Amino acid sequence: MKELLYLKDDQLKDLIEKLFVGYRETFSDSKKILDKYSIGLAHQKVIHLLSMYEGISISKLLTKLKVTKQSLNRVLKDLIKLEIIIFKKDEMDTRIKHVYLNEKGKKIFEEIFLLQKKRIYNALLDSSSEEVINFDKVLKKIING
Amino acid sequence: MKELLYLKDDQLKDLIEKLFVGYRETFSDSKKILDKYSIGLAHQKVIHLLSMYEGISISKLLTKLKVTKQSLNRVLKDLIKLEIIIFKKDEMDTRIKHVYLNEKGKKIFEEIFLLQKKRIYNALLDSSSEEVINFDKVLKKIING
DNA sequence: CATTATAGGTAAGTTATATTGACATATTAT
DNA sequence: ATAATATGTCAATATAACTTACCTATAATG
């Protein structure tokens, strides 16, 4: 806590810049794969969430992505055309639509993820699990700030 | 090193999502300030770099931002209209332009930075300096991956 | 049962940020 | 003299988002 006093503005600026570059690089590794399927970063993010949260609802997707439903809808339509997602109505509440990647979708995700994974792996190659845990911990706090 | 084997895909996916959310949240805190001056995220990033690297050249800005000069130029023109940046020719090589924030520009940056700083500070409130160092270390490796 | 709330869809127009390609100028280096 | 570098600019286009407005279907509540 007291140690915080030694965090200078310059270090904080540096951290903020790194947060941007880290995000940008991690999400641009897969550009060639995205081009192959004629999709973009917005699609990649949706595919990522569909892989993490199988059967996620539209409204959950919206709150996670923090975009409007018009914007999400454009992306989902493209993914339908690509034939990589399917929908299932909730059995209890049929207003709710659950979204899933099909087999083709999962394969495309793996192509994307492989490249992102490579970057993270390389980053963690000579890190201890404690360092990784600390990284995760701080990142989580930044998000929940 | 061996510990890495225990890094499951799910954890990596989670890290990647956090990297995105951490970036997004950190760079959206200042939205109200940006609106006040009718500028956007692209301008914020340039202002941030101008504050970090006083007198940075155009080409350095371009490589740091990884955008085209046409794109950067639009932003710089807006900042000129806002009257918050100045240029100085390099004394040795007069082709090179050094860009600086003027006093007004520095004040606007401080407004933006205050909010971002608050988020990072809150995140680090109960973190040890070691955790912060680890966070920085891993992030750096992700960038250089 | 009537009303209200929720989940989702859609249409039109607009904005922010970026791209590609082409070309121009000034200055420095070979 | 020529080539390379640093920067600027015009035009057209793409991507991803936005706002505003309105729509259906279903569920929850009085």
Side-chain angles (χ1 to χ4, degrees):
Chain A
M1 178 81 178
K2 256 184 197 156
E3 303 172 273
L4 250 180
L5 298 173
Y6 300 114
L7 265 180
K8 302 236 174 63
D9 273 7
D10 281 350
Q11 293 174 270
L12 289 169
K13 286 183 197 173
D14 193 62
L15 265 184
I16 291 169
E17 191 199 355
K18 284 205 188 87
L19 216 44
F20 161 53
V21 177
Y23 154 74
R24 183 188 63 196
E25 297 304 307
T26 301
F27 278 83
S28 67
D29 285 334
S30 35
K31 201 178 175 311
K32 276 182 187 170
I33 308 291
L34 300 181
D35 286 349
K36 190 169 129 190
Y37 297 103
S38 302
I39 54 179
L41 187 53
H43 306 80
Q44 172 173 358
K45 283 174 186 168
V46 170
I47 291 171
H48 187 99
L49 290 177
L50 293 181
S51 172
M52 285 187 77
Y53 311 101
E54 294 183 43
I56 191 173
S57 68
I58 301 289
S59 65
K60 268 279 177 195
L61 269 177
L62 288 175
T63 57
K64 285 206 178 288
L65 291 165
K66 286 205 182 175
V67 295
T68 58
K69 56 182 171 177
Q70 294 88 332
S71 193
L72 174 59
N73 232 263
R74 175 187 61 85
V75 174
L76 290 178
K77 274 180 182 165
D78 291 340
L79 298 183
I80 292 168
K81 260 189 198 156
L82 245 185
E83 298 185 313
I84 68 172
I85 59 172
I86 55 164
F87 300 100
K88 284 183 195 166
K89 275 193 176 176
D90 188 280
E91 292 185 353
M92 296 299 134
D93 185 342
T94 59
R95 289 173 306 180
I96 299 170
K97 266 167 81 173
H98 298 284
V99 193
Y100 298 83
L101 289 174
N102 64 13
E103 287 312 311
K104 185 181 168 194
K106 285 176 187 168
K107 269 186 71 182
I108 292 178
F109 171 74
E110 287 303 327
E111 281 189 82
I112 293 168
F113 185 50
L114 189 68
L115 296 172
Q116 294 187 304
K117 203 155 69 172
K118 196 179 284 174
R119 173 177 293 274
I120 308 292
Y121 255 87
N122 287 342
L124 304 181
L125 260 183
D126 54 343
S127 303
S128 68
S129 63
E130 207 199 334
E131 285 171 334
V132 178
I133 287 165
N134 285 341
F135 176 72
D136 185 72
K137 204 169 139 188
V138 173
L139 202 44
K140 200 180 291 175
K141 286 187 210 157
I142 288 175
I143 290 169
N144 298 327
Chain B
M1 178 84 178
K2 256 182 199 158
E3 302 172 273
L4 251 179
L5 298 173
Y6 300 115
L7 266 180
K8 301 235 174 64
D9 273 7
D10 281 350
Q11 293 174 269
L12 289 170
K13 286 183 197 173
D14 194 61
L15 263 184
I16 291 168
E17 191 199 353
K18 286 205 188 87
L19 217 45
F20 161 55
V21 177
Y23 154 74
R24 183 188 63 197
E25 297 304 307
T26 301
F27 279 82
S28 67
D29 285 335
S30 34
K31 203 180 173 309
K32 275 183 189 169
I33 309 291
L34 299 180
D35 286 349
K36 189 169 131 191
Y37 298 102
S38 301
I39 55 179
L41 187 53
H43 307 81
Q44 171 173 358
K45 283 174 185 168
V46 170
I47 292 170
H48 186 101
L49 290 177
L50 293 181
S51 171
M52 285 187 77
Y53 311 102
E54 293 182 43
I56 191 174
S57 69
I58 301 289
S59 65
K60 267 279 176 198
L61 268 178
L62 288 175
T63 57
K64 285 206 178 290
L65 291 165
K66 286 206 182 174
V67 295
T68 58
K69 57 184 171 176
Q70 294 89 328
S71 194
L72 174 59
N73 231 262
R74 174 188 63 86
V75 175
L76 289 179
K77 275 180 182 164
D78 291 340
L79 298 183
I80 291 168
K81 259 190 200 155
L82 245 185
E83 299 184 311
I84 68 171
I85 58 173
I86 55 164
F87 300 100
K88 283 183 195 166
K89 275 193 177 177
D90 188 282
E91 291 185 352
M92 297 297 134
D93 185 341
T94 60
R95 290 173 306 181
I96 299 170
K97 267 167 80 173
H98 299 284
V99 193
Y100 299 83
L101 288 175
N102 64 14
E103 287 311 310
K104 185 181 168 195
K106 284 176 187 168
K107 269 186 71 182
I108 291 178
F109 172 74
E110 287 304 327
E111 281 189 81
I112 292 168
F113 186 50
L114 189 68
L115 296 172
Q116 294 187 307
K117 204 156 67 174
K118 195 179 284 173
R119 174 178 292 274
I120 308 292
Y121 254 89
N122 288 342
L124 304 180
L125 260 183
D126 53 343
S127 303
S128 67
S129 62
E130 207 199 335
E131 285 172 333
V132 177
I133 288 166
N134 285 341
F135 175 71
D136 185 73
K137 204 168 137 188
V138 174
L139 202 44
K140 200 181 290 175
K141 286 186 211 161
I142 288 175
I143 290 169
N144 298 325

